Amino acid sequence: MKYILYVFVLLMGCNNTPNNHIKNIKEAVDQKNKNEIQLDSLKLSRSLAILKAKLLTFGDGNKYLYPEIQVLEVLVNKTSY
């Protein structure tokens, strides 16, 4: 969704509009994307770790699947790791 909005901003930038208008749109999109994560307080108190991650590959196997992920941000870490 973020990239679609950036493409829209770029297309609008092709018109003869002032750069301040485009800059304001970009800042609004970035601010919206930063505030997307909403944590439930009950789940937050019970969880040991909360990660923001991106799936790289699906896991292989029959019974247990261990996918590869890339950790983008650690939101909560109450473990010793």
Side-chain angles (χ1 to χ4, degrees):
M1 185 69 179
K2 174 172 70 172
Y3 300 111
I4 293 172
L5 291 174
Y6 281 133
V7 170
F8 178 72
V9 168
L10 289 175
L11 290 176
M12 293 299 292
C14 294
N15 296 335
N16 292 327
T17 58
N19 289 336
N20 291 339
H21 180 67
I22 295 169
K23 193 175 188 181
N24 291 340
I25 293 173
K26 239 182 199 182
E27 289 174 1
V29 169
D30 288 339
Q31 185 179 14
K32 180 186 176 291
N33 289 332
K34 287 180 184 177
N35 296 331
E36 280 185 9
I37 299 174
Q38 297 176 353
L39 300 175
D40 185 15
S41 61
L42 181 62
K43 290 180 182 179
L44 182 65
S45 65
R46 292 182 181 177
S47 61
L48 294 177
I50 299 175
L51 303 174
K52 183 177 178 181
K54 181 171 83 171
L55 179 66
L56 298 177
T57 61
F58 291 104
D60 294 332
N62 294 329
K63 187 173 180 182
Y64 299 108
L65 303 177
Y66 298 103
E68 290 184 31
I69 61 168
Q70 176 185 4
V71 177
L72 301 174
E73 186 177 354
V74 178
L75 300 174
V76 174
N77 187 8
K78 297 177 186 174
T79 64
S80 60
Y81 296 110

